């Protein structure tokens, strides 16, 4: 799935997009400033959410409740266009998820663009008398800091995920506490191993859509991936182990990122856990 990883990480400090500038005096000038700052860039939402259309007031506060989700699956998008209207700024882009990629150097998180569009509307005062407030409001929507640094520090494994293919008994001997790594915030992730760590239970597992290429070629089969499910039962990190090609890997990742579970349990408390799942593609 090399093609899925063609988007390089943008290392630009997001907060630098909100530095004081010579403020524009009309819509076209402001639009040019915003396009220069945003278009083509990867941006991070301060409040990751699953909605594909977000609306904020003039201060950058959401006008409806946001259904929060993990940052790695619902917090990053690539800006495709910016338009300044008489009453709002309209930002359109494509959703991305951050997935683990296995290679000779180990594992690392990389962005994968999905076929899911995101639209963000920010209300602005029709008079446009306080343009600095527009940039302040945008800073309430987007997270500052270097994306590359956050991505590289998000997952800290204690074992190589490739080791999961080895004999399970020997693996468990190496993991007396069943911990396989830590997520951002120093949150431990455990290997499911009853009765010490009971498995999560699926609640919502929508099927993926077929890609046009796979449908035409009548590609069928099963993809396999590993998930790190967080303490709320949400997929927080995904890694594709086996794919079928023809874009079905992206469709599988997109669908599984929206799956929901009852979380794994350790010592009576919900915990993050590493599990393996299969996604079937069948035209019949």
């Amino acid at each position: 799935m090399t093609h899925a990883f063609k988007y390089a990480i943008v290392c630009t400090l997001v907060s630098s997009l909100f530095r004081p500038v010579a403020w524009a005096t009309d819509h076209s000038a402001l639009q040019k400033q915003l396009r220069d700052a945003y278009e083509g860039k990867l941006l991070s939402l301060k409040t990751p959410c699953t909605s594909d259309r977000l609306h904020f007031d003039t201060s950058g506060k959401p006008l409806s409740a946001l259904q929060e989700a993990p940052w790695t699956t619902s917090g990053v998008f690539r800006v495709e266009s910016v338009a300044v209207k008489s009453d709002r700024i309209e930002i359109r882009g494509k959703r991305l998820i951050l997935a683990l990629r296995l290679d000779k150097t180990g594992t690392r998180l990389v962005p994968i663009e999905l076929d899911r569009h995101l639209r963000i509307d920010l209300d602005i005062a029709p008079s446009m008398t306080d343009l600095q407030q527009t940039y302040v409001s945008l800073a309430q929507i987007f997270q500052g800091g270097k994306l590359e640094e956050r991505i590289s520090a998000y997952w800290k494994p204690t074992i190589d995920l490739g080791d999961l293919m080895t004999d399970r008994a020997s693996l468990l001997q190496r993991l007396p506490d069943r911990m396989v790594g830590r997520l951002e915030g120093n949150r431990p992730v455990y290997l499911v191993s009853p009765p010490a760590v009971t498995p999560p239970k699926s609640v919502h597992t929508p099927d993926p859509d077929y890609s046009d290429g796979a449908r035409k070629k009548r590609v069928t089969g099963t993809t396999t991936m590993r998930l790190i499910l967080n303490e709320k039962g949400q997929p927080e990190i995904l890694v594709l182990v086996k794919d079928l090609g023809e874009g079905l890997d992206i469709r599988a990742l997109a669908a599984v990122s929206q799956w929901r579970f009852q979380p794994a349990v350790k010592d009576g408390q919900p915990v993050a856990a590493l599990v393996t799942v299969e996604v079937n593609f069948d035209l019949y």
Side-chain angles (χ1 to χ4, degrees), residues 44-50 54 56 62 66-69 71 74-75 95 140-143:
S44 175
L45 295 169
K46 269 193 173 179
T47 304
C49 60
T50 58
L54 307 176
F56 299 86
L66 301 181
Q67 186 176 356
E68 294 190 36
W71 175 72
S74 302
R95 290 274 194 181
Q140 301 306 309
I141 300 172
F142 302 124
Q143 182 70 49

Side-chain angles (χ1 to χ4, degrees), residues 42 72-73 76-78 94-98 111-113:
L42 301 188
T72 48
T73 61
V76 183
F77 75 105
R78 182 174 64 84
K94 276 192 173 182
R95 290 274 194 181
L96 292 96
I97 62 172
L98 301 176
I112 301 175
E113 186 172 292

Side-chain angles (χ1 to χ4, degrees), residues 162-195:
D163 290 347
L164 294 176
M165 303 300 292
T166 64
D167 179 66
R168 183 174 176 85
S170 62
L171 179 61
L172 291 177
Q173 287 182 349
R174 292 167 48 199
L175 300 170
D177 59 359
R178 304 299 188 259
M179 192 173 75
V180 296
R182 291 185 180 274
L183 292 169
E184 184 180 64
N186 204 32
R187 294 172 290 149
V189 178
Y190 297 95
L191 184 68
V192 171
S193 178

Side-chain angles (χ1 to χ4, degrees), residues 30-203:
L30 176 62
Q31 180 169 271
K32 183 180 186 306
Q33 291 173 353
L34 293 177
R35 285 178 172 174
D36 290 344
Y38 285 120
E39 288 187 353
K41 304 294 194 305
L42 301 188
L43 294 184
S44 175
L45 295 169
K46 269 193 173 179
T47 304
C49 60
T50 58
S51 303
D52 289 334
R53 184 165 182 177
L54 307 176
H55 191 181
F56 299 86
D57 66 16
T58 55
S59 66
K61 294 182 179 180
L63 292 175
S64 60
L66 301 181
Q67 186 176 356
E68 294 190 36
W71 175 72
T72 48
T73 61
S74 302
V76 183
F77 75 105
R78 182 174 64 84
V79 178
E80 293 184 309
S81 66
V82 179
V84 178
K85 311 291 185 178
S86 61
D87 60 347
R88 70 184 187 279
I89 295 171
E90 183 181 293
I91 301 174
R92 294 176 181 263
K94 276 192 173 182
R95 290 274 194 181
L96 292 96
I97 62 172
L98 301 176
L100 275 176
R101 184 182 186 185
L102 304 175
D103 56 31
K104 294 181 180 179
T105 63
T107 59
R108 58 191 176 93
L109 282 176
V110 294
I112 301 175
E113 186 172 292
L114 305 178
D115 190 21
R116 283 185 57 201
H117 293 270
L118 174 66
R119 171 175 165 177
I120 297 173
D121 290 323
L122 170 65
D123 291 343
I124 55 176
S127 61
M128 300 288 288
T129 57
D130 187 2
L131 296 179
Q132 184 167 3
Q133 181 57 43
T134 299
Y135 284 81
V136 171
S137 298
L138 288 169
Q140 301 306 309
I141 300 172
F142 302 124
Q143 182 70 49
K146 291 184 178 180
L147 280 178
E148 185 178 56
E149 291 181 359
R150 184 176 183 184
I151 290 171
S152 63
Y154 202 92
W155 165 242
K156 297 179 180 178
T158 56
I159 66 166
D160 189 323
L161 293 185
D163 290 347
L164 294 176
M165 303 300 292
T166 64
D167 179 66
R168 183 174 176 85
S170 62
L171 179 61
L172 291 177
Q173 287 182 349
R174 292 167 48 199
L175 300 170
D177 59 359
R178 304 299 188 259
M179 192 173 75
V180 296
R182 291 185 180 274
L183 292 169
E184 184 180 64
N186 204 32
R187 294 172 290 149
V189 178
Y190 297 95
L191 184 68
V192 171
S193 178
V197 182
T198 60
K201 298 179 181 178
S202 60
V203 174

Side-chain angles (χ1 to χ4, degrees), residues 1 165 221-227 238-244 249 252-253 256 275-281:
M1 50 186 290
M165 303 300 292
T222 301
T223 65
T224 303
M225 66 180 70
R226 296 195 177 99
L227 308 180
L238 304 87
V239 54
L240 195 67
V241 178
K242 173 189 173 185
D243 74 84
L244 299 171
D249 50 351
L253 289 166
V256 172
V275 299
T276 300
V277 300
E278 294 183 341
V279 182
N280 296 316
F281 287 91

